Amino acid sequence: MEKIVLDGEFFNAKDTLNCGQLFRFFSAGVKKDAYFVNSLDKRCLLYNEGKNAVIECEEVDRAYFENYFDLSRDYGAIVSAAEKEGGILSVAARLGKGIRILNQDRTETLFSFIVSQNNNIPRIKGIIERLSAGAGQKREFYGEEYYAFPTAEELAAKPLEFFKEIGLGYRADYIKRLADNFDGTFDASEFSALNTNDLKKKLTSIYGVGPKVADCASLFGFHRSDSFPVDTWIEKVYKENFNGELHDRAKIADFFVDKFGENAGYFQQYLFYYKRSLEKQEL
DNA sequence: CGCCAGGTCGTCT
DNA sequence: AGACGACATGGC
């Protein structure tokens, strides 16, 4: 087993996991605020200890998780830029300075955020767990069983009824259709060559994927930081803290991308986490 | 009962 | 282009 020890000033496990960018993480129990984090078929253990952040994983997965947790990026510089903006953003950045934007698998991210639409985070986590347990491979980490996120092929093998049974509701049709039609080209180089706008056009052409889900896939799956997902929480921030007048969420997103440029995605996470933390005391 | 949750689709102006 | 209701489910 590998143990990766890092400076924890800009890497807080709890904040990184609870800001809504991923849904497959679990309290590990072994120590306070220690978590198992699943990505595709892999798992690691993540926690803060003193001034450090620690990742424990299989040796073969070391490079995968170094990239996953975006270890090569200077988050101190991003937090500083947010603090310079002043107002609510500097407050939010101080609260969320330990947040990192993960480099998640593109396919898992897209499927997951289709599940997320018009849904709440605890329920999204439950659905994705049932999806994995019902269609994914069983794996083991530190003697504990878990399930891999299903491949598109594994999802396509399931009947529509399965997706309804695990609680997807009307989203079952979206998941089923994407699984059936999935051509696996997400990782092709031509896909990476698209600019963010063209990428979003391609994503929104998928049935069940609108501007918000496309922005989440773009930000969390492709690390396009010039993406700014606008959901109900961000809309509240926009109206209450930026005195916004717009109602069209796509235009609100454009407003923030124009304003913050390549920092937009990071700042969005600070703002989302801040706003949601205010109302969800348990975070 | 109602309203809300990391929205999108189809339909009608 | 923009407005609006329908859509499954579960928590409060």
Side-chain angles (χ1 to χ4, degrees):
Chain A
M1 203 64 71
E2 288 282 293
K3 187 165 173 178
I4 308 171
V5 181
L6 307 148
D7 188 327
E9 185 181 7
F10 299 107
F11 192 169
N12 181 276
K14 184 181 176 189
D15 297 338
T16 294
L17 301 176
N18 280 294
C19 63
Q21 60 179 320
L22 76 165
F23 304 103
R24 292 204 301 145
F25 61 94
F26 313 84
S27 283
V30 292
K31 49 187 101 183
K32 185 177 178 296
D33 287 338
Y35 304 88
F36 290 124
V37 181
N38 296 3
S39 176
L40 286 179
D41 59 336
K42 308 173 201 318
R43 166 172 274 198
C44 69
L45 178 66
L46 177 69
Y47 54 90
N48 287 93
E49 192 169 61
K51 292 189 165 186
N52 294 324
V54 182
I55 304 162
E56 297 184 24
C57 68
E58 304 278 359
E59 281 91 346
V60 290
D61 295 333
R62 181 182 179 116
Y64 181 87
F65 282 112
E66 284 175 342
N67 174 62
Y68 181 82
F69 289 109
D70 207 26
L71 297 188
S72 61
R73 198 173 310 274
D74 179 4
Y75 278 81
I78 296 168
V79 171
S80 295
E83 288 183 325
K84 273 189 202 146
E85 295 286 337
I88 195 67
L89 193 53
S90 65
V91 176
R94 276 196 288 277
L95 174 76
K97 69 173 190 173
I99 294 173
R100 308 183 76 81
I101 296 197
L102 308 178
N103 292 300
Q104 300 185 66
D105 176 75
R106 297 165 173 186
T107 309
E108 177 175 344
T109 304
L110 182 60
F111 276 105
S112 297
F113 278 90
I114 289 174
V115 175
S116 81
Q117 63 183 79
N118 199 28
N119 210 340
N120 59 68
I121 291 176
R123 211 168 80 84
I124 297 163
K125 290 173 73 170
I127 291 170
I128 291 178
E129 193 46 30
R130 292 191 289 279
L131 189 70
S132 302
Q137 302 290 318
K138 186 184 286 188
R139 293 291 157 94
E140 195 173 301
F141 183 81
Y142 279 138
E144 184 171 321
E145 286 182 353
Y146 69 96
Y147 290 91
F149 194 85
T151 64
E153 290 77 14
E154 286 166 341
L155 290 174
K158 292 287 180 182
L160 180 62
E161 201 47 42
F162 165 74
F163 299 106
K164 304 244 188 203
E165 280 167 4
I166 62 172
L168 271 166
Y170 69 90
R171 308 169 196 84
D173 289 321
Y174 303 153
I175 297 294
K176 177 63 176 160
R177 203 192 296 189
L178 178 57
D180 285 345
N181 297 338
F182 194 74
D183 60 5
T185 57
F186 269 175
D187 296 314
S189 57
E190 52 99 4
F191 220 94
S192 301
L194 296 175
N195 67 41
T196 301
N197 263 332
D198 290 340
L199 171 63
K200 278 164 60 177
K201 262 183 216 163
K202 205 151 183 170
L203 291 171
T204 51
S205 72
I206 297 167
Y207 180 60
V209 177
K212 157 66 169 60
V213 171
D215 277 329
C216 285
S218 167
L219 179 58
F220 303 135
F222 293 78
H223 214 102
R224 299 299 177 89
S225 61
D226 53 340
S227 304
F228 198 97
V230 178
D231 70 330
T232 55
W233 299 100
I234 288 294
E235 197 173 351
K236 273 190 208 173
V237 171
Y238 171 73
K239 286 183 174 146
E240 294 171 11
N241 304 105
F242 289 82
N243 299 316
E245 303 288 336
L246 299 170
H247 294 286
D248 184 340
R249 287 185 176 184
K251 287 188 175 156
I252 296 173
D254 290 341
F255 165 79
F256 281 112
V257 172
D258 287 346
K259 190 173 174 60
F260 299 136
E262 291 292 326
N263 282 326
Y266 304 100
F267 292 4
Q268 192 271 2
Q269 285 299 94
Y270 299 147
L271 292 171
F272 175 86
Y273 188 54
Y274 167 81
K275 200 65 173 179
R276 193 161 170 272
S277 298
L278 285 183
E279 299 199 22
K280 306 275 178 189
Q281 299 294 346
E282 76 272 15
L283 282 184

